[in-house]
Amino acid sequence: MCDLYYYFKGKEDRRESRKSVPLQHVSVTGHIRDAVAQYTLEQTFLNPEKEAGIDAVYTFPLYEGAAVVGFEAEVNGRKIVGKVQEKAAAKKEYEEAKSAGKLASLLEQESPDVFQTSIGNIPASTAIIIRITLWSEMKHDAEENQVRFVLPTVIAPRYGWPAPEVNLELPPPFKLLSVNMSCAMSKAITSIKSPSHTIEVHLGNSSGETPTAESFEPNRARVTLTSDSFLEKDFVLVVQALGLNEPCALVERHPRDGTHAITLTFLPRFALRPMSSSELIFVVDRSGSMQGTPIKQAGQALELFLRSIPCEDHYFNIIGFGDNHKTLFPKSTPYNEETLTKGLRYAQALEADMGGTEMMSAFEEIFEHRRRDVPTQIFLLTDGEIWDVDSLIECIRDAKKEEKSDNFVRVFSLGIGSNVSHHLVESVGRAADGYAQLIVEGERMEKKVINMLKSALVPAVTNVAVQWSEANGYGDVDIASGDHVDGFVIVEEIAEDEPSQPVAPDSNETDGNTPPINLFSTTPEEPSPPPPVPTLPPPDIIVPIYQAPFIPPILSRGARFTIHAILSSTAPLPKELVLRGTSQDGPVELKINIESVQEGETMLHSLASRALIRDLEERSSYVHALGKDAPAAQLQMLERLGIHVVAQGRKFKNVPLSDHYVSRIAKQHILDIALRYNLSSKYTSWVAIDDESKQRLINDEYKDSNDEMGFALHDSISFPRPAMYKCSYICEPVACVEIATTYISSSSTAGNLTELEEFPKSEVMNSDNESEASPNDVTPPTDCDLCPRQGFGGELEEGAQHVEVPPTPIDPHERLYCLLQHQAFDGSFPLVPDIAALFSSTVEDLNVKLGEICKQSAATLSKLEWEAVWATCLAVEFMRRDLAELQEEWELVVEKAERRVETMVKNAHDVAAVKQAAAGLAAGANKLSAQEVETTKEAAGEGIGESIITAYAQSADPAKVVAEGAAAEDNKTCAQVEDIAKEVVKGGAAEGPKECAT
């Protein structure tokens, strides 16, 4: 929770004199363009003192990795704009201004995701407005072409000790938040949703006004909250638009320096052979902060992880941590039926009952006892509420140093809850070649969990490198002239008596016979001896190309790849970028054409500079690669980027510097970059001055003159402009605006507006996100025949009559979950009433059909084996036909099931025959006989046609069909529609009970 405190002047005990300044309101306005967001936070406070002037301290969260590029304070209509200074100098100037009675402000970074503003000499009864402008890269979300914008509003209580100067005594979160964000995507928007808040979306333009037929633009939208919300949880917005996953390379020329910033981003899509063996360790946060929904979500995620592990030679273990840590098994154990059962019991009984959050001890346990003969994949499930992130990251990096190519370590982090520490979950994934995903309360997690497991089971592309300049080919930049970015040359002393380190051979070089693998596809020389080490005079560090991250992240499925570079003004620009890497199946390659952004913009420089600073702060930069014991990959990257040391007029590629000088150089580079591009950092702060009193306040970074989104492509994209399109939607919590692309594309022909005209322009539509119910949904009456209270395997109440066919859950996720309860470790399913119910049949009838299949097969299987084969094919057919929208969630379990069938039957012809029989049974179950249609028509009464009943039986959303059909008849009330739906079910509609049409 962000908060502003003030202190009475003259009080010696600052704690006793501290009070909260009432936070009146927080507003967010900004723009989203593809995978980047620019936004301004505006917080309004009121000094309640009628006579006394006060000093105030304001603490608030920001998203990890966001670049703070502007700060402004407004008091009594006067705007006080800030500028970045070195931290100590900024603090000194603030204190001097405050002592002189001037209005002053200071913005400091306390941690990568916690900032603090100090305001001095606020007049009595005065309103204070704080404005902070940020650039932020948006994360990939679970779906295709989908990005996620996160606005942290809460600093949750964290385990451990923060910096002494950070004030985090927080009030109740009864403060208001308003949001007004515009979207301007390169291609048509297909979905906008918020899993955290109720939003209203205006499609067609970014102004929020109702577009006309001529002005409608399907790639633009404006998002607002339906009403102001409390600051009690993070605001999350998920935008889906065509083409977001495609490779994109943008270049920007800085208007002042002439340097060029280049950004490459895309979602890797490639096919590689999966790993046959690995160690999978699940680290589960069971601390007190996980109580309630987070621990429930963690248990569900863990169960889905365990059920989806392939049957090959994999090992697994589970570690729960709190005050201490406990393992399910003494060491990782083979994945089999017995161990899976124990793991599922653990997941289903998970409780947040282990006290504090001693996370690092759990990782130390893993690294000490992990297997050394296979890769280790770690999955962290946590709310991330700890302060000492740096020690944990250092522990992970130490383990990474010991890894080898065949027993590497990767960590994937799943942040759970509405107040997750983004810095922790992102840093863990970044440090260990994995990635992070976030799940807020009420959000579906299945796709994220499965995608994470898929990514872990497929080998990543490593040794990634980008060719940034045509001049250097794939090796050194021509640096004979000593070209470098002005202001970044550091002169320091070389460590004496330390040998030069050899440059590692280029692991991307091939013999020329193996063609490279396309990195965005739907199908998956010895160096000369180094020169002697000089001792004096101190060297210059020359950096022709600044790359961030310095060591590019590995390419893995499900993780957006983004990399930045800043090139000197004299470095020639390429027409295309070439990205190369290596994989177990051979070399990989991707070529991307470069597009220029609008002249005069600085957005790419801000994002690249923020990434450079993060590298330097996390000790993974080009400067640290010049230190002692640098890994071979870092030495190789130094050579590729042309980074070198010059001493006495001579060039040295690998001169190891002592730790002391590396630390000093890194700090100086952070200062240089932050001051040049006006960014807050570990060593810089914002200071601003009241113009009227000539006071400087410490809180502003480079102020971009453009209010709109920071870049626009030179080659604009034209879109069809449909008329009378529904342009206003209201989405309930965890609801999404699903914008049917058919309505956009159907209007491409001029004058053909028939389909669009069927939408009332003033109509407000609620849409549910992945079948999640909104808090405003009305619970159906308990006696409703269409809303069963019993799922698969439920026990009958005492005295209840036994029914062979149990009721089927309505929600598709619940149906899948219940079905998977029957899947065995090897992937097979038993022939039980629950499986038969999916096809409106009984076990006896299915056995009769199985007998016919066996007569035509040459396979020699026992009765139980044949039943398992038959039931498994039926379960797979049901998932493919009736749960097709959840394919990403059941894909791994279906693969496991089909492999089991093929292993048991062996004969491909027999396997095909069983699958065909299952498909035929499924098709037959979805049809009503002529007699059933007549019976249903008589029971339902007049006014509903045979086509509606038939459509009801065959539709994936039968209740909707009946409702729409009855509405078309214009003579049915809601009650009659529900009665019709009930009678259709009683008449024999497919899949047992159907949901109510209300």
Side-chain angles (χ1 to χ4, degrees):
M1 174 66 200
C2 54
D3 191 32
L4 185 66
Y5 293 102
Y6 69 91
Y7 302 93
F8 288 104
K9 292 186 176 296
K11 291 279 188 178
E12 293 184 1
D13 191 336
R14 302 268 287 178
R15 291 276 177 182
E16 290 183 2
S17 66
R18 188 173 74 177
K19 291 186 177 181
S20 289
V21 175
L23 173 62
Q24 304 297 304
H25 190 262
V26 175
S27 66
V28 182
T29 58
H31 318 279
I32 294 173
R33 175 62 184 265
D34 294 337
V36 178
Q38 178 198 34
Y39 55 102
T40 298
L41 295 178
E42 182 177 296
Q43 299 101 354
T44 303
F45 298 87
L46 178 65
N47 178 3
E49 297 298 320
K50 296 183 179 180
E51 298 181 359
I54 61 173
D55 300 335
V57 176
Y58 167 51
T59 306
F60 58 97
L62 289 178
Y63 189 75
E64 192 260 3
V68 179
V69 297
F71 176 85
E72 180 178 281
E74 182 176 335
V75 180
N76 288 332
R78 300 195 310 275
K79 293 183 179 180
I80 310 165
V81 178
K83 182 179 180 180
V84 174
Q85 287 192 0
E86 191 274 329
K87 197 166 192 175
K91 183 73 171 179
K92 179 181 178 182
E93 186 169 353
Y94 166 75
E95 294 294 344
E96 289 176 350
K98 194 172 65 168
S99 299
K102 298 179 181 180
L103 182 61
S105 177
L106 178 73
L107 176 64
E108 300 173 287
Q109 175 182 309
E110 301 301 340
S111 73
D113 59 347
V114 176
F115 283 69
Q116 184 169 286
T117 297
S118 302
I119 306 174
N121 300 315
I122 303 171
S125 303
T126 301
I128 309 158
I129 300 175
I130 303 293
R131 296 186 184 93
I132 302 169
T133 303
L134 306 101
W135 283 106
S136 180
E137 298 172 12
M138 296 175 65
K139 284 184 59 65
H140 171 70
D141 210 58
E143 300 282 353
E144 279 283 306
N145 297 312
Q146 188 166 282
V147 290
R148 185 183 186 96
F149 171 76
V150 179
L151 175 68
T153 64
V154 177
I155 304 174
R158 300 182 184 180
Y159 185 76
W161 300 99
E165 64 273 16
V166 180
N167 295 305
L168 287 173
E169 184 182 323
L170 306 176
F174 301 119
K175 313 298 179 183
L176 293 179
L177 168 71
S178 64
V179 175
N180 193 333
M181 297 289 292
S182 65
C183 300
M185 316 304 282
S186 294
K187 296 184 179 180
I189 297 171
T190 56
S191 169
I192 299 180
K193 57 188 174 183
S194 174
S196 60
H197 290 72
T198 302
I199 62 173
E200 182 173 350
V201 178
H202 298 269
L203 180 68
N205 61 37
S206 55
S207 66
E209 300 177 358
T210 302
T212 63
E214 293 75 19
S215 65
F216 183 88
E217 298 177 278
N219 65 317
R220 293 182 177 269
R222 180 162 291 277
V223 179
T224 59
L225 294 178
T226 54
S227 61
D228 285 356
S229 172
F230 289 129
L231 278 171
E232 57 184 350
K233 56 186 176 180
D234 295 350
F235 172 74
V236 179
L237 185 68
V238 180
V239 181
Q240 189 175 48
L242 300 178
L244 279 179
N245 288 359
E246 296 174 1
C248 176
L250 300 174
V251 63
E252 162 191 281
R253 185 181 184 275
H254 198 282
R256 181 188 63 222
D257 301 333
T259 56
H260 290 93
I262 305 177
T263 296
L264 167 63
T265 182
F266 72 106
L267 193 74
R269 183 191 299 162
F270 51 82
L272 297 175
R273 291 179 291 109
M275 290 183 288
S276 59
S277 181
S278 65
E279 179 184 31
L280 307 173
I281 301 178
F282 303 95
V283 184
V284 185
D285 188 346
R286 295 179 55 183
S287 63
S289 62
M290 290 283 290
Q291 287 183 356
T293 301
I295 196 66
K296 180 181 178 182
Q297 289 180 304
Q300 293 172 343
L302 179 58
E303 184 171 352
L304 188 55
F305 270 128
L306 294 174
R307 291 189 180 279
S308 302
I309 298 174
C311 296
E312 285 85 358
D313 190 18
H314 293 287
Y315 304 83
F316 84 100
N317 204 350
I318 303 172
I319 298 182
F321 68 88
D323 284 330
N324 50 32
H325 61 271
K326 299 178 182 178
T327 61
L328 179 60
F329 306 107
K331 61 180 182 179
S332 294
T333 187
Y335 180 75
N336 55 40
E337 187 169 4
E338 179 183 357
T339 56
L340 173 60
T341 300
K342 291 181 179 180
L344 293 176
R345 288 174 182 168
Y346 183 98
Q348 293 163 356
L350 204 60
E351 296 288 344
D353 55 2
M354 293 185 67
T357 315
E358 293 290 345
M359 190 180 299
M360 195 166 74
S361 64
F363 275 88
E364 290 173 338
E365 171 81 14
I366 293 172
F367 296 142
E368 182 178 354
H369 297 101
R370 76 179 186 91
R371 299 184 67 92
R372 308 289 171 174
D373 55 342
V374 295
T376 298
Q377 316 267 17
I378 302 170
F379 300 87
L380 173 64
L381 287 70
T382 181
D383 58 7
E385 295 176 5
I386 66 171
W387 281 108
D388 191 9
V389 177
D390 291 345
S391 296
L392 176 61
I393 300 306
E394 199 61 34
C395 173
I396 294 173
R397 285 193 178 134
D398 288 342
K400 291 286 292 179
K401 292 177 182 177
E402 300 176 1
E403 69 180 12
K404 298 180 181 179
S405 60
D406 58 347
N407 68 351
F408 57 82
V409 177
R410 296 179 69 190
V411 181
F412 300 84
S413 52
L414 191 65
I416 299 174
S418 299
N419 309 322
V420 174
S421 170
H422 306 100
H423 175 48
L424 180 133
V425 296
E426 296 287 352
S427 297
V428 166
R430 194 162 51 238
D433 292 334
Y435 65 87
Q437 284 283 10
L438 303 175
I439 300 170
V440 299
E441 183 174 346
E443 187 177 13
R444 301 302 317 192
M445 76 178 91
E446 290 85 355
K447 287 186 179 180
K448 296 183 180 182
V449 169
I450 293 301
N451 286 342
M452 195 168 278
L453 184 59
K454 287 179 183 177
S455 181
L457 295 175
V458 174
V461 174
T462 58
N463 300 314
V464 178
V466 180
Q467 179 182 324
W468 295 108
S469 175
E470 289 182 341
N472 68 322
Y474 204 59
D476 290 347
V477 176
D478 181 8
I479 54 176
S481 61
D483 289 334
H484 58 273
V485 181
D486 293 337
F488 289 101
V489 175
I490 305 299
V491 178
E492 283 295 351
E493 183 181 23
I494 303 174
E496 297 186 16
D497 300 326
E498 292 177 344
S500 290
Q501 302 178 46
V503 178
D506 190 346
S507 58
N508 285 316
E509 292 182 0
T510 65
D511 57 8
N513 297 324
T514 306
I517 299 170
N518 191 340
L519 272 175
F520 195 75
S521 171
T522 56
T523 65
E525 99 203 68
E526 288 299 323
S528 58
V533 180
T535 56
L536 289 175
D540 291 342
I541 298 178
I542 308 298
V543 187
I545 298 177
Y546 288 85
Q547 176 178 283
F550 171 64
I551 296 299
I554 64 175
L555 297 169
S556 58
R557 290 180 50 171
R560 176 171 288 276
F561 177 89
T562 300
I563 192 168
H564 308 274
I566 298 180
L567 279 63
S568 65
S569 57
T570 58
L573 284 177
K575 295 180 180 179
E576 66 177 11
L577 295 183
V578 181
L579 183 149
R580 297 185 177 96
T582 57
S583 73
Q584 68 172 20
D585 295 345
V588 298
E589 182 178 279
L590 177 67
K591 296 182 178 181
I592 317 101
N593 291 328
I594 299 179
E595 300 179 76
S596 297
V597 303
Q598 185 174 336
E599 189 71 25
E601 299 295 344
T602 60
M603 179 268 296
L604 295 182
H605 278 82
S606 295
L607 293 175
S609 300
R610 184 66 191 91
L612 284 168
I613 290 174
R614 183 171 60 194
D615 260 8
L616 289 160
E617 290 179 338
E618 295 184 349
R619 292 179 288 182
S620 58
S621 71
Y622 55 92
V623 174
H624 297 86
L626 292 168
K628 296 183 295 183
D629 303 322
Q634 294 186 7
L635 299 177
Q636 182 176 309
M637 191 56 65
L638 288 172
E639 183 178 21
R640 285 179 180 155
L641 299 176
I643 300 173
H644 62 286
V645 171
V646 173
Q648 295 181 317
R650 298 176 60 189
K651 165 187 164 185
F652 299 90
K653 295 182 180 178
N654 301 301
V655 179
L657 303 178
S658 67
D659 294 342
H660 170 71
Y661 288 120
V662 165
S663 179
R664 287 183 56 187
I665 295 172
K667 178 179 179 179
Q668 186 60 51
H669 272 224
I670 292 174
L671 283 169
D672 288 342
I673 295 171
L675 292 173
R676 173 175 289 271
Y677 295 109
N678 295 293
L679 298 172
S680 58
S681 70
K682 186 177 182 179
Y683 301 116
T684 55
S685 300
W686 284 96
V687 58
I689 291 181
D690 186 334
D691 292 333
E692 292 187 4
S693 62
K694 299 187 185 299
Q695 303 163 17
R696 292 201 57 195
L697 254 169
I698 304 172
N699 273 32
D700 189 82
E701 292 175 313
Y702 184 76
K703 184 73 175 176
D704 197 315
S705 58
N706 296 306
D707 291 331
E708 287 300 320
M709 190 62 187
F711 66 91
L713 299 181
H714 281 182
D715 298 327
S716 59
I717 302 173
S718 60
F719 296 93
R721 301 178 181 272
M724 301 183 68
Y725 193 84
K726 175 201 273 274
C727 57
S728 180
Y729 302 86
I730 294 181
C731 308
E732 294 300 325
V734 198
C736 66
V737 181
E738 294 294 347
I739 303 160
T741 54
T742 54
Y743 292 109
I744 295 175
S745 61
S746 66
S747 61
S748 58
T749 304
N752 182 16
L753 305 175
T754 307
E755 290 188 70
L756 298 178
E757 290 171 350
E758 294 177 359
F759 280 92
K761 288 199 294 182
S762 61
E763 181 183 355
V764 176
M765 180 180 72
N766 292 335
S767 62
D768 54 1
N769 174 23
E770 302 174 296
S771 303
E772 289 243 17
S774 104
N776 299 325
D777 288 346
V778 178
T779 303
T782 55
D783 59 350
C784 174
D785 294 339
L786 305 182
C787 301
R789 295 293 177 267
Q790 178 183 341
F792 282 103
E795 295 182 1
L796 296 175
E797 298 180 1
E798 185 177 355
Q801 184 178 0
H802 176 74
V803 180
E804 177 71 17
V805 181
T808 306
I810 296 171
D811 179 77
H813 294 90
E814 184 66 19
R815 300 175 83 184
L816 177 61
Y817 175 79
C818 293
L819 175 61
L820 295 184
Q821 299 302 306
H822 293 288
Q823 189 176 31
F825 134 83
D826 61 4
S828 64
F829 288 81
L831 189 58
V832 293
D834 289 343
I835 303 293
L838 300 175
F839 300 89
S840 301
S841 185
T842 64
V843 172
E844 289 75 15
D845 290 342
L846 292 181
N847 268 320
V848 172
K849 181 65 176 177
L850 176 60
E852 299 173 1
I853 297 173
C854 294
K855 291 179 180 178
Q856 302 175 12
S857 172
T860 56
L861 301 176
S862 67
K863 183 176 184 299
L864 286 178
E865 289 175 331
W866 266 120
E867 287 184 350
V869 169
W870 180 220
T872 301
C873 290
L874 290 171
V876 168
E877 180 63 27
F878 174 77
M879 285 184 274
R880 292 191 183 279
R881 178 182 289 264
D882 289 55
L883 302 178
E885 71 273 24
L886 306 183
Q887 179 177 352
E888 291 185 359
E889 300 174 28
W890 51 248
E891 185 175 358
L892 290 180
V893 296
V894 165
E895 288 178 5
K896 183 192 291 189
E898 291 182 330
R899 282 198 300 269
R900 180 57 179 165
V901 169
E902 293 168 1
T903 301
M904 295 175 69
V905 179
K906 294 183 176 61
N907 185 289
H909 180 269
D910 290 343
V911 171
V914 180
K915 289 182 177 181
Q916 184 177 359
L921 185 65
N926 281 334
K927 295 181 180 179
L928 291 176
S929 66
Q931 180 61 42
E932 288 171 332
V933 170
E934 291 302 321
T935 301
T936 306
K937 287 174 61 178
E938 293 174 4
E942 298 179 0
I944 181 169
E946 179 178 339
S947 61
I948 296 177
I949 297 176
T950 305
Y952 178 94
Q954 297 178 346
S955 172
D957 191 357
K960 180 179 179 182
V961 172
V962 175
E964 291 177 348
E969 298 287 344
D970 199 29
N971 61 355
K972 296 294 176 182
T973 65
C974 291
Q976 289 174 312
V977 170
E978 184 172 343
D979 289 341
I980 292 170
K982 292 180 181 179
E983 295 303 331
V984 170
V985 171
K986 292 178 181 178
E991 302 171 16
K994 299 284 183 176
E995 57 186 300
C996 297
T998 57

